[in-house]
């Protein structure tokens, strides 16, 4: 496939690249960029810009129906809306219908890779992986594991969890579909549960994901229950390593940032969700100063948008970050967080051709400076600006 367009990427938090010409894709990978028109049929996207596909490093498949449903704080919202909705996913038919909706929404939003909290039942996660493959998204996902403080129907025993993890990992363990150990958070998992499951995950180099330090009340409850800070609780359970993705991190203390940094764990910044639940503002400057890699997450349904673009805008309102940093977090930074920086995230030769075709419409002129384009997209863009989405050179969505 040959594509003509203007290609912009952000391979580092400080650099962007801008190239107008032809991209040659072969076997789903980026083969070459060239100024000269190559032989063969050209797909003409010269009225658009093309960027690397967005990497959403924190979201919940089970919460699509909850977007925009107001409630007060995290605990009450979980009880009132989230747990009852997640119980509906015990029905495989419902899980299939919602998975189709969810992955199509992500494709329409320009997301090419998503890190997902799936339903609690393994059969539903297995079905969701199949649907993600059918839609074409790159998915890192696990069943949302809980063994205490949640309705009985959502709990899983240690033995069953161990079996499920190994079975799902053995089946879904490639560049397109990858099982991740998904422990909801320290208040719905016992220490023994977190510890033993993490051992299984780390033996296999699995991604481990969980929530950390989102709301003050939650942090206090963790302190009350464990007598330790949040990061220590996870560290003592052996959960923190290079493949760990911690969502939120709004109220982390310096000593926790030091520990997270020492272990090489990453943070998924979810500013839209933090605004919705009034969780507070994550201090990105401090977290970055500790040398921690930060990506972004839509966090549906505490976040109200499936598109990464409004999340970048909210990230700016939370902390003034440069637009290049914002797009880096949404692409190459996300790739690093999921340990796929040699495969996705920028327009390096040999990487997968995961990209998003962006219609600037009335936002910007196609020949504006690249920084102006990124800035206008960040502050004014959303899913309506997504003309098409490609994963490994395959079109998974195109707007008419
Ligand atoms: N903490 C534990 N579970 C959740 C969840 O589903 N959403 C959010 N925003 N925070 C959580
Ligand atoms: Zn979440």
């Amino acid at each position: 496939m040959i594509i003509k367009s203007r290609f912009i990427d952000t391979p580092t938090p400080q650099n962007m690249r801008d190239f107008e010409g032809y991209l040659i894709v072969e076997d789903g990978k980026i083969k070459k960029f060239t100024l000269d028109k190559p032989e063969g049929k050209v797909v003409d996207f010269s009225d658009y810009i093309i960027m690397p596909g967005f990497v959403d490093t924190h979201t919940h498949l089970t919460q699509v129906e909850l977007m925009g449903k107001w409630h007060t704080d995290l605990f009450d919202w979980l009880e009132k809306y989230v747990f009852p909705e997640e119980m509906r996913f015990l029905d495989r038919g419902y899980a299939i219908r919602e998975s189709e909706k969810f992955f199509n929404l992500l494709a329409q939003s320009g997301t090419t890779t998503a890190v997902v909290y799936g339903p609690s039942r393994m059969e539903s996660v297995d079905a969701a992986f199949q649907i993600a493959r059918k839609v074409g998204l790159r998915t890192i996902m696990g069943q949302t594991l809980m063994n205490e403080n949640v309705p009985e129907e959502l709990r899983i025993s240690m033995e069953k969890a161990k079996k499920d993890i190994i079975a799902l990992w053995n089946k879904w363990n490639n560049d397109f579909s990858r099982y991740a150990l998904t422990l909801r958070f320290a208040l719905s998992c016992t220490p023994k549960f977190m510890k033993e499951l993490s051992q299984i995950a780390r033996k296999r180099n699995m991604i481990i994901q969980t929530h950390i330090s989102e709301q003050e009340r939650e942090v206090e409850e963790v302190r009350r229950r464990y007598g330790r800070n949040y990061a220590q609780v996870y560290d003592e359970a052996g959960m923190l390593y290079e493949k760990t993705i911690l969502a939120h991190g709004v109220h982390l203390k310096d000593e926790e940032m030091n520990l997270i940094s020492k272990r090489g764990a990453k943070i998924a910044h979810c500013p839209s969700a933090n605004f919705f639940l009034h969780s507070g503002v994550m201090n990105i400057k401090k977290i970055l100063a500790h040398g921690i890699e930060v990506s972004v997450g839509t966090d549906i349904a505490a976040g109200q948008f499936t598109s990464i673009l409004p999340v970048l805008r909210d990230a700016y309102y939370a902390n003034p970050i440069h637009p290049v940093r914002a797009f880096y977090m949404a692409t190459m930074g996300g790739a690093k967080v999921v340990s796929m920086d040699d495969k996705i995230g920028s327009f390096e030769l040999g990487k997968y051709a995961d990209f998003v075709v962006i219609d600037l419409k009335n936002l910007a002129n196609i020949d504006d400076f690249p920084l102006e384009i990124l800035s206008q997209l960040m502050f004014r863009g959303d899913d309506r600006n997504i003309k098409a989405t490609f994963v490994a050179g395959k079109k998974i969505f195109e707007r008419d």
Side-chain angles (χ1 to χ4, degrees), residues 58 60 62-63 74-75 77-78 82-83 86 117 144 146 183-186 188 210-212 214-215 218 230 247-248 270 273-274 277 279 299-303:
H58 182 86
H60 296 257
T62 48
Q63 297 178 20
L74 173 64
F75 290 165
W77 177 72
L78 289 172
V82 175
F83 296 149
E86 292 190 355
Y117 283 58
T144 302
M146 300 162 266
L183 296 159
R184 177 165 233 128
F185 69 159
S188 59
T210 191
H211 296 87
I212 194 167
E214 181 177 358
Q215 294 211 326
E218 171 201 359
Y230 221 138
H248 300 285
C270 305
N274 296 340
L277 289 176
S279 301
D299 194 17
I300 295 165

Side-chain angles (χ1 to χ4, degrees), residues 51-252:
M51 296 193 71
F54 301 133
V55 183
D56 182 349
T57 56
H58 182 86
T59 191
H60 296 257
L61 183 156
T62 48
Q63 297 178 20
V64 180
E65 301 304 331
L66 305 183
M67 281 191 286
K69 289 191 181 165
W70 171 83
H71 206 61
T72 51
D73 80 342
L74 173 64
F75 290 165
D76 292 344
W77 177 72
L78 289 172
E79 297 269 330
K80 161 106 198 273
Y81 280 124
V82 175
F83 296 149
E85 176 64 17
E86 292 190 355
M87 280 197 251
R88 301 179 73 186
F89 283 76
L90 298 173
D91 172 37
R92 197 166 176 271
Y94 186 72
I96 287 172
R97 288 194 299 281
E98 287 299 301
S99 300
E100 277 170 354
K101 191 168 175 182
F102 175 81
F103 289 115
N104 279 302
L105 279 170
L106 297 197
Q108 289 162 29
S109 304
T111 296
T112 50
T113 299
V115 185
V116 178
Y117 283 58
S120 56
R121 267 188 66 198
M122 83 167 284
E123 292 77 7
S124 300
V125 175
D126 188 53
F129 267 124
Q130 289 174 33
I131 291 160
R133 277 313 300 134
K134 200 172 73 185
V135 174
L137 243 94
R138 220 178 272 288
T139 312
I140 294 150
M141 176 167 58
Q143 49 199 145
T144 302
L145 295 164
M146 300 162 266
N147 75 333
E148 68 166 1
N149 284 333
V150 295
E152 189 62 43
E153 299 91 319
L154 294 177
R155 293 184 208 176
I156 188 168
S157 70
M158 176 90 89
E159 287 322 303
K160 173 82 169 85
K162 284 181 179 172
K163 273 198 203 128
D164 287 3
I165 292 167
I166 293 168
L168 285 170
W169 169 259
N170 286 341
K171 185 163 178 191
W172 304 107
N173 165 22
N174 60 59
D175 283 354
F176 291 90
S177 314
R178 190 168 287 273
Y179 186 79
L181 177 64
T182 305
L183 296 159
R184 177 165 233 128
F185 69 159
L187 298 177
S188 59
C189 302
T190 58
K192 189 164 184 278
F193 187 74
M194 294 191 285
K195 195 169 190 168
E196 293 195 19
L197 300 185
S198 296
Q199 269 171 8
I200 293 177
R202 289 183 64 165
K203 220 185 260 169
R204 292 161 178 82
N205 230 5
M206 270 185 219
I207 283 182
I208 298 178
Q209 58 175 341
T210 191
H211 296 87
I212 194 167
S213 203
E214 181 177 358
Q215 294 211 326
E216 272 168 355
R217 193 173 151 206
E218 171 201 359
V219 172
E220 282 160 21
E221 185 58 26
V222 168
R223 163 72 65 183
R224 197 186 63 76
R225 193 178 308 179
Y226 291 90
R228 311 233 182 308
N229 71 41
Y230 221 138
Q232 271 171 337
V233 170
Y234 286 153
D235 194 47
E236 283 173 20
M239 279 165 66
L240 301 183
Y241 81 135
E242 304 78 30
K243 297 226 162 170
T244 306
I245 308 175
L246 302 167
H248 300 285
V250 174
H251 302 284
L252 291 172

Side-chain angles (χ1 to χ4, degrees), residues 268-301:
H269 182 25
C270 305
S272 306
N274 296 340
F275 284 135
F276 180 74
L277 289 176
H278 283 272
S279 301
V281 172
M282 188 193 88
N283 188 336
I284 197 171
K285 272 216 174 103
K286 234 175 166 186
I287 288 176
L288 291 173
H290 279 80
I292 300 168
E293 189 71 42
V294 179
S295 55
V296 280
T298 55
D299 194 17
I300 295 165

